[in-house]
Amino acid sequence: MGSPEKFEGWLGKTPDSVKGNMTWGEFEPKKWEEDDVDIKISHCGICGSDLHTLRSGWGQTHYPCVVGHEIVGTAVRVGKNVTHIQEGDRVGVGAQARSCGQSDCPECKAGIPQHCLREQVGTYDGVYPNDVGRSFGGYATYNRTNARFVIKIPEGLDSKDAAPMLCGGITIYSPLRQNGCGPGKTVGIVGLGGIGHFGVLFAKALGADRVVAISRRADKRDDALKLGADEYIATGEEKDWVTKHRRTLDFIVSTVSSAKMPLSDYLKLIKVGGSFVQIGAPDNGELPTISAWDLIGGNVKVGGSAIGPPWEIAEMLKLAADKKIKPWIQTRPMKDANTAVVDMDEGKARYRYVLEA
Ligand code: NAP
Ligand code: ZN
C-alpha cells in the first residue's frame, strides 16, 4: 500500500464554488508525521457545513479548500506511533482533525476534545500549528489525519452508511445522549434534513417513548413516519401546531440553519424545565431574538452542542451496527460532486448524499 505525495480533490477557490464551480486538481496534504494515517477514500458524505464553508458563510474560507468531513476509506499508510489502526483497516474521519490532547487540558482530559481551546483543527479549511500545513477534506482521493481522530468502522456497517454518521450522525447522537434520550422521554427533532433524519433514527434506537419530527414541508410526513417518528409537524403548512403540541416535549434538538425560524414557537412545545439544543449553525451564526418570557414562562434552558468526540463516534457506530440502523442516503459518483452540492443546496437530498469514489 502507500499513498502519493500529492492528493487530488475538488477544489473550492471562491465563494461561487458552492454553485457547482469546484474544480478537480492536486493539493498538498499536511506534512507527514508518525501520528498520522493516510486514507484512500471510498466514500464521503455531503454535510450542510460543506456548503457554509464553500461560500465563506462562517467567515472567510482559506481558498483553495477541499471540503467533506464524513470520510470512509482504507488505511493505506499508518504512522509508527499509531497503535489502534493497521494498514488495510476500514476507517473513518469526522469533522475534527486535531486537539491539543494534553493531560492538563480540561476539555481533552474530560473526553470532549471538540471543545479544546488550545489547538482546534477541523478536517478541512484548518491550519495546523508548527507550519505542517493545512487540512483538506474528503471530496478527494486521499485524506491525511492524526490517528486520534481516525476511527475504525465496525463490521456489519456499509461504508456508504457509516460515512454520513461521522459528522451528521454524531452531531445529533451526542446531544440526544447528553439529554438522557431513552425510555420515558419525548423528543422533538427540528429540521428533517441529513442530521435531523439521523435524529429520528437514533432517538428511536435509544428507546425514546415518543419522537416528534418537526420541519416546514408537509411532503416529508410519510418519510418521517417511515423513519420511525411517532408524529410529524409541518410548521410551514399546519395551523394551530403550537397550541396543539404545547408543552409536550422533554427536549428539542434543532438542526435548522437559518435565522428565519419560529424559535419562540419551538420553545412553547417544551415541557416546564425542559431544554432546547441548537446544533444548526446559520451563516454568521444568526438566531432570532429570544424573548425573556419564552424562557421564564416555561423555565426553559437553551443550549447548543458541537459534533462529538471519537469515543462517542465509536459508541454510535457500534449501536448502528448492532441495531442495523439504515440511514436514508443517495450515493452520487465522486466525479459529480458539483451537481450533488447544488442539489443539496436546493434541499433535494433524501436525506444525505454520499459521494462514492
Ligand atoms: P440539511 O440536510 O440541509 O438539513 C437542514 C434541514 O432544516 C432542512 O432539510 C430543512 O427542512 C430544515 N429547516 C427547517 N427550517 C428551516 C429554515 N428556516 N431554513 C432552512 N432549513 C430549515 O443540513 P444538515 O447537513 O442536516 O445540517 C444542518 C445544520 O447543522 C447546518 O447548519 C450544519 O452546518 C450544521 N452542523 C452543525 C454541527 C455542530 O457541531 N453543531 C455539525 C455539523 C453540521 P425543511 O425544508 O423541511 O424545513
Ligand atoms: Zn458536518
Side-chain angles (χ1 to χ4, degrees):
M1 292 202 194
S3 49
E5 224 164 82
K6 289 207 168 178
F7 300 172
E8 289 176 30
W10 284 107
L11 302 167
K13 295 180 177 164
T14 64
D16 213 38
S17 54
V18 75
K19 295 183 181 145
N21 297 317
M22 297 182 294
T23 52
W24 186 260
E26 275 191 342
F27 63 90
E28 195 166 335
K30 74 176 278 295
K31 199 169 139 244
W32 173 259
E33 293 168 287
E34 293 299 337
D35 304 302
D36 289 336
V37 177
D38 278 356
I39 301 164
K40 186 171 195 312
I41 297 167
S42 66
H43 294 87
C44 185
I46 298 185
C47 175
S49 307
D50 304 351
L51 280 61
H52 292 288
T53 302
L54 284 173
R55 64 171 170 253
S56 282
W58 290 338
Q60 183 62 48
T61 294
H62 307 85
Y63 300 109
C65 72
V66 174
V67 296
H69 57 203
E70 299 185 335
I71 301 169
V72 170
T74 307
V76 289
R77 183 181 180 193
V78 177
K80 290 194 186 78
N81 304 335
V82 179
T83 51
H84 72 292
I85 307 279
Q86 317 286 322
E87 222 179 86
D89 281 350
R90 201 161 59 110
V91 295
V93 175
Q96 187 174 14
R98 187 110 141 196
S99 75
C100 82
Q102 300 299 313
S103 56
D104 65 344
C105 165
E107 290 82 14
C108 288
K109 202 167 100 186
I112 45 169
Q114 73 272 32
H115 297 293
C116 172
L117 281 174
R118 296 180 186 170
E119 224 178 279
Q120 195 56 253
V121 181
T123 296
Y124 54 71
D125 196 35
V127 180
Y128 285 101
N130 309 324
D131 282 337
V132 295
R134 293 173 43 202
S135 62
F136 295 92
Y139 297 9
T141 48
Y142 292 87
N143 173 263
R144 176 171 294 164
T145 295
N146 183 297
R148 281 179 52 228
F149 293 94
V150 179
I151 298 136
K152 269 178 96 157
I153 307 296
E155 276 181 35
L157 207 54
D158 282 353
S159 297
K160 63 180 187 326
D161 293 338
M165 293 184 191
L166 288 155
C167 174
I170 191 61
T171 295
I172 200 146
Y173 178 82
S174 186
L176 288 174
R177 294 280 279 121
Q178 289 166 48
N179 286 279
C181 181
K185 292 282 174 167
T186 299
V187 180
I189 307 288
V190 183
L192 195 64
I195 298 182
H197 106 287
F198 275 119
V200 175
L201 293 171
F202 284 129
K204 287 309 279 188
L206 289 166
D209 280 1
R210 280 179 72 68
V211 177
V212 180
I214 304 163
S215 221
R216 290 171 302 183
R217 309 161 55 116
D219 65 6
K220 289 184 180 173
R221 179 180 308 277
D222 287 352
D223 287 355
L225 300 180
K226 273 190 216 145
L227 280 161
D230 298 282
E231 199 153 352
Y232 179 77
I233 306 174
T235 57
E237 300 178 44
E238 282 175 43
K239 286 199 185 109
D240 302 332
W241 61 272
V242 184
T243 30
K244 190 173 160 206
H245 300 276
R246 185 112 203 223
R247 290 201 183 159
T248 54
L249 307 172
D250 289 297
F251 68 93
I252 285 179
V253 186
S254 160
T255 77
V256 178
S257 57
S258 162
K260 290 189 206 126
M261 65 169 104
L263 180 54
S264 170
D265 288 338
Y266 296 154
L267 296 175
K268 291 188 175 71
L269 306 187
I270 299 169
K271 292 182 193 171
V272 174
S275 310
F276 178 89
V277 185
Q278 177 66 21
I279 56 174
D283 282 349
N284 306 315
E286 283 174 15
L287 283 182
T289 310
I290 299 179
S291 149
W293 304 122
D294 291 336
L295 305 178
I296 297 168
N299 192 8
V300 168
K301 300 174 199 66
V302 176
S305 184
I307 50 172
W311 62 265
E312 201 171 34
I313 297 179
E315 177 189 295
M316 170 199 63
L317 293 176
K318 185 171 183 311
L319 177 84
D322 289 350
K323 297 230 171 190
K324 302 197 185 332
I325 293 175
K326 271 303 242 189
W328 290 20
I329 56 140
Q330 293 156 304
T331 53
R332 309 280 298 250
M334 182 66 82
K335 70 174 173 43
D336 295 344
N338 271 315
T339 45
V341 163
V342 171
D343 289 348
M344 166 84 179
D345 209 13
E346 290 174 3
K348 291 183 183 162
R350 293 290 179 276
Y351 280 84
R352 199 54 139 195
Y353 291 130
V354 177
L355 299 173
E356 202 164 35

